[in-house]
Amino acid sequence: MEEGSDYRRWDELIPDALGLIFSNLPLQEILTVIPRVCKSWSKAVTGPYCWQEIDIEEWSNRCQPDHLDQMLEMLITRSCGSLRKLCVSGLHTEMIFNFIAKNAGSLQTLRLPRSEMSDSIVEQIASRLSMITFLDVSYCGKIGARALEAIGKNCKLLVGLCRNLHPLDTAGKPLQDDEAYAIASTMPKLKHLEMAYHLISTTSVLKILSSCPELGFLDLRGCWDVKLDDKFLKDKFPKLKVLGPLVIDHYERNDWDDCSDSSDAFEYLAWEFVAGEMGEFDEDEDDESYWDDEGRLEELELRFYEGNNEDAELYGWPPSP
């Protein structure tokens, strides 16, 4: 760049500014394109600046569980304790839940739909999620009232909860009010609550309404046994918006029902981690990455450079501009 120019060099931007810019890009570009531009950009994406908010929910719906755990551990480690928001779907192992809780000191928003945590796991980690204000545990079939009670007792700042169920998981079963009562007894600050397709009664819903005076939105789609009088709601809870239960609703599948262990409907990602601090990850045999004509990722090879100027060429890195 010519001397006296009014424009600042991109590689001279502070990492915070670069991280703010890069955080608007797709995950694949942040991990595979940006680090190859120059060392200052690589430093920005390998530091905490891009990872205060991690949203890999869409990608996690179609990746292999072991790859998901590896990716999540890497990104959370990069956040260096500054993680504020995490959105990921389909977690399976107790180890990864404990890892998230261990790094949840600043975490405020946590979305874990379709994950396989149990009541006992939630009871173990709930005390480390005390800063959570919004939680999504929809379609988590292995948790129940015990887990929700543990969350309510430990997450005193919680104002939003999503606990939607799949209609096929509740079809033909008897009423189960225990989760509703757990919410009513431990989450008085709720402002947003989703309980679609729960097998709950009118009595338990009224208990929630009386126990959560700040509630502004309640999703009761598919809660067919709940009967609420519109006039009663307007008189007693004028600020409350209720969705359902009698709503003609097309259940949003998000392609989840099309996935199975034996299905080849989705290609999964092959990862290769070449980073100093991530040496525990296995190296994938494939070493070619490319995008097909439709822009869908077939294979993805991740290479991370954290060295000095003199060994930049070892990783095929271009010098800083």
Side-chain angles (χ1 to χ4, degrees), residues 235-306:
D235 292 342
K236 295 292 185 180
F237 310 99
K239 297 181 180 181
L240 176 65
K241 178 181 178 181
V242 178
L243 179 61
L246 300 177
V247 173
I248 299 176
D249 180 31
H250 175 72
Y251 185 75
E252 186 64 37
R253 294 165 60 194
N254 287 328
D255 293 326
W256 183 257
D257 294 333
D258 293 335
C259 297
S260 69
D261 292 339
S262 60
S263 172
D264 59 357
F266 293 105
E267 297 284 348
Y268 65 87
L269 307 184
W271 305 103
E272 179 180 355
F273 295 91
V274 188
E277 79 279 15
M278 303 308 293
E280 68 272 23
F281 296 121
D282 294 332
E283 183 173 328
D284 198 279
E285 293 181 357
D286 295 324
D287 85 316
E288 214 177 336
S289 60
Y290 60 91
W291 295 84
D292 63 10
D293 292 338
E294 297 179 356
R296 183 163 62 96
L297 188 63
E298 295 294 337
E299 295 180 39
L300 181 60
E301 177 184 19
L302 303 183
R303 296 185 180 272
F304 306 109
Y305 168 67
E306 297 178 0

Side-chain angles (χ1 to χ4, degrees), residues 4-120:
S5 172
D6 293 332
Y7 297 99
R8 187 172 183 176
R9 293 163 58 101
W10 274 89
D11 63 324
E12 293 178 352
L13 287 177
I14 60 175
D16 305 61
L18 288 173
L20 185 62
I21 296 170
F22 297 155
S23 63
N24 294 299
L25 298 175
L27 176 67
Q28 289 87 352
E29 291 188 14
I30 296 177
L31 293 177
T32 60
V33 178
I34 295 301
R36 297 178 181 273
V37 175
C38 64
K39 290 193 298 179
S40 64
W41 286 24
S42 172
K43 182 178 180 181
V45 298
T46 54
Y49 315 104
C50 286
W51 310 113
Q52 294 177 354
E53 297 188 1
I54 299 174
D55 186 349
I56 57 173
E57 184 173 350
E58 181 179 352
W59 173 77
S60 62
N61 280 337
R62 59 180 183 269
C63 81
Q64 295 296 303
D66 56 337
H67 294 159
L68 175 56
D69 287 358
Q70 291 175 12
M71 172 65 81
L72 201 55
E73 288 184 18
M74 181 189 70
L75 298 185
I76 292 177
T77 298
R78 288 185 175 190
S79 72
C80 298
S82 64
L83 181 63
R84 296 194 303 262
K85 178 180 179 180
L86 175 62
C87 304
V88 59
S89 177
L91 299 181
H92 291 82
T93 65
E94 181 175 350
M95 179 194 69
I96 198 64
F97 293 120
N98 280 306
F99 183 80
I100 292 172
K102 181 181 178 181
N103 293 272
S106 302
L107 191 59
Q108 298 174 355
T109 297
L110 180 60
R111 290 185 177 271
L112 300 174
R114 304 181 179 92
S115 293
E116 297 294 319
M117 78 277 273
S118 63
D119 285 336
S120 60

Side-chain angles (χ1 to χ4, degrees), residues 188-206:
K189 295 183 179 180
L190 283 183
K191 297 180 180 180
H192 182 105
L193 176 60
E194 298 182 18
M195 297 189 70
Y197 296 98
H198 270 259
L199 298 170
I200 52 179
S201 66
T202 303
T203 302
S204 64
V205 172
L206 292 176

